[in-house]
Amino acid sequence: MEKTSSTLWKRLETLYATKSLPNCLVLKQCLFMFCINESELLRDHISQFITLLNDLKNVEVHIDDEDQA
């Protein structure tokens, strides 16, 4: 139980932003299974896609431009 928001944020980063192999694999799987729902707004879909790419970048996974397209 963290007392302040900054210590909580640091704790969450250490738990979920690690560069471990399972984390990288889960993020890659999310990327390759990523598809749009018909009821979803395009702007929301693009926002989720950019967030996913940023998460991969944060764990130092290189995604080719062709795969990003």
Side-chain angles (χ1 to χ4, degrees), residues 1-55:
M1 293 295 183
E2 305 299 332
K3 300 294 183 197
T4 64
S5 59
S6 63
T7 56
L8 176 62
W9 191 255
K10 296 270 187 208
R11 178 75 176 139
L12 287 172
E13 283 181 342
T14 59
L15 290 175
Y16 298 106
T18 61
K19 298 174 187 173
S20 66
L21 180 61
N23 193 22
C24 293
L25 292 175
V26 167
L27 288 172
K28 282 185 179 183
Q29 182 181 16
C30 289
L31 175 65
F32 291 115
M33 301 286 291
F34 191 73
C35 62
I36 191 168
N37 296 326
E38 291 182 17
S39 62
E40 186 177 25
L41 295 174
L42 183 60
R43 120 180 118 237
D44 295 336
H45 181 73
I46 292 172
S47 175
Q48 291 173 1
F49 181 70
I50 291 171
T51 301
L52 182 56
L53 290 178
N54 285 335
D55 290 344

